[in-house]
Amino acid sequence: MITRYISSLTLTMAPFSRASRTARLFLSLLPSTARQAGVKVVLNNLPKEKGKEAWVGVVFKDGKEVKLETSKMPLKDLVEEMDRHSRLLARKEDLAG
């Protein structure tokens, strides 16, 4: 997962709910140095109730915001969505010099 272009990460989930599995795994993919690199991580815990959906919100360094509901999304798809914009930013950076 490309975290170099992420400026802020917000996770809202019930930590022990099965619907929050993808959000928990996504959080575990962040490198331990992410906060030192300037990524602001906000974690909102929900009570274990049905009807509460887990979601991940990411703000990239160019200001684009992506908010995805993750309770029915596999981890691979979530990572691919986040990496898609990161690759675009990397390409722009390479072309700029």
Side-chain angles (χ1 to χ4, degrees):
M1 183 169 73
I2 305 169
T3 58
R4 183 171 152 191
Y5 301 102
I6 296 175
S7 64
S8 148
L9 175 69
T10 304
L11 285 97
T12 300
M13 64 180 177
F16 302 110
S17 170
R18 178 156 171 73
S20 299
R21 181 176 184 227
T22 302
R24 284 192 314 267
L25 291 173
F26 184 76
L27 182 62
S28 72
L29 289 178
L30 281 179
S32 59
T33 59
R35 285 187 184 219
Q36 295 168 352
V39 177
K40 181 181 176 191
V41 178
V42 178
L43 180 61
N44 299 319
N45 290 325
L46 298 173
K48 188 178 179 182
E49 296 176 7
K50 293 187 178 185
K52 301 280 185 173
E53 302 295 332
W55 60 269
V56 173
V58 175
V59 177
F60 291 94
K61 293 196 176 183
D62 68 341
K64 180 176 178 165
E65 295 182 33
V66 177
K67 185 175 177 182
L68 296 170
E69 191 269 318
T70 61
S71 61
K72 295 179 182 163
M73 177 183 278
L75 180 64
K76 180 181 176 186
D77 292 348
L78 179 61
V79 170
E80 182 61 33
E81 279 293 318
M82 299 306 163
D83 282 350
R84 180 176 296 138
H85 190 68
S86 294
R87 285 191 304 267
L88 186 117
L89 292 175
R91 208 172 301 133
K92 283 183 182 178
E93 186 179 279
D94 288 344
L95 292 175

